[in-house]
Amino acid sequence: AELGTNGVSWTINSYVIDSGDYNYVLNDSTPLEKTIPELPGAEPVNLTNDTFFKFFDEDGILRESYTDDELVFHGLFENLTGVNTIIIDRPITLISDNAVLNNIAISIIDDGVKLSGFTFNADHVEFNANGGAVVYVSGSDVEIDNVIVNYDAPGEVEAIAVYVNAADNFALTNSEISFVSTNPGNKHNYGLKVRNSETAVIDNNI
């Protein structure tokens, strides 16, 4: 085979290109010109429930191999094996394409993250490893906009819909929190808890 660079013509009989998420297999009985698209592939891989682990590892942490500054979640997310909390540990913009997360929390632990358009539904699920929260924020300069959090909290646990902890310049706007608790009173339960954080903007929410 006469090998060239991405996007140019290659003369080949049979060749397999492995770029990780994409495999190109080209077979011909006689040599001829083929044009190979730019690697790692001409078609994007969408983040859906089925492709979640292409973008996040088994602990729910965003993979280092994903280097874009924007990530779009598509559709319904639930029953992710071994993961009930998504962890965002770098500055990135998270966008929803009708994204609904059922019994899955999110932990934003780095600065400069933007989250918009998501719906979180949690029904009697405890998120102890996430500070008891469906949405936990410990990074500064985090913006959450147009988000819905529905949390029917279990009893006898610390439960919080949105928990902001030591996160300066936090903003929660145009969002809705529905928090239901039957806790008898010996545990703390909050729809929204903001502590040790300077210059928080909480505006136009329900």
Side-chain angles (χ1 to χ4, degrees):
E2 297 176 4
L3 306 183
T5 57
N6 293 344
V8 302
S9 295
W10 299 26
T11 301
I12 51 181
N13 269 328
S14 178
Y15 199 79
V16 178
I17 304 167
D18 183 356
S19 64
D21 291 336
Y22 300 87
N23 289 325
Y24 296 89
V25 182
L26 302 169
N27 293 287
D28 293 282
S29 57
T30 57
L32 75 162
E33 295 292 318
K34 291 286 185 182
T35 300
I36 309 301
E38 290 288 335
L39 300 182
E43 298 181 4
V45 176
N46 290 329
L47 171 53
T48 65
N49 199 75
D50 291 339
T51 64
F52 177 84
F53 290 105
K54 288 182 178 288
F55 298 86
F56 293 85
D57 67 16
E58 63 278 4
D59 295 316
I61 301 172
L62 187 62
R63 293 186 183 277
E64 293 183 0
S65 57
Y66 187 81
T67 58
D68 289 0
D69 57 6
E70 182 177 287
L71 184 58
V72 181
F73 287 66
H74 300 269
L76 177 64
F77 291 81
E78 61 183 359
N79 300 322
L80 298 172
T81 303
V83 173
N84 77 342
T85 302
I86 294 171
I87 300 171
I88 306 299
D89 61 354
R90 77 187 71 166
I92 193 170
T93 297
L94 305 175
I95 299 172
S96 163
D97 176 18
N98 297 313
V100 177
L101 279 65
N102 284 342
N103 296 326
I104 299 171
I106 188 167
S107 181
I108 299 172
I109 60 176
D110 202 357
D111 303 342
V113 175
K114 296 181 180 181
L115 178 75
S116 64
F118 288 77
T119 296
F120 296 87
N121 298 320
D123 186 10
H124 290 87
V125 177
E126 180 181 4
F127 299 107
N128 183 57
N130 203 37
V134 178
V135 177
Y136 179 82
V137 178
S138 61
S140 294
D141 302 302
V142 171
E143 300 177 16
I144 296 178
D145 181 67
N146 190 31
V147 166
I148 298 172
V149 180
N150 299 309
Y151 191 13
D152 193 347
E156 301 295 336
V157 301
E158 303 284 337
I160 307 165
V162 177
Y163 184 10
V164 182
N165 183 25
D168 295 340
N169 303 316
F170 170 76
L172 176 67
T173 56
N174 307 310
S175 296
E176 181 174 339
I177 296 172
S178 176
F179 180 78
V180 178
S181 171
T182 56
N183 199 305
N186 60 337
K187 298 289 184 178
H188 292 162
N189 279 224
Y190 302 90
L192 171 64
K193 182 177 181 179
V194 181
R195 66 186 300 271
N196 298 331
S197 304
E198 297 184 1
T199 321
V201 176
I202 314 296
D203 186 53
N204 199 38
N205 303 293
I206 299 173

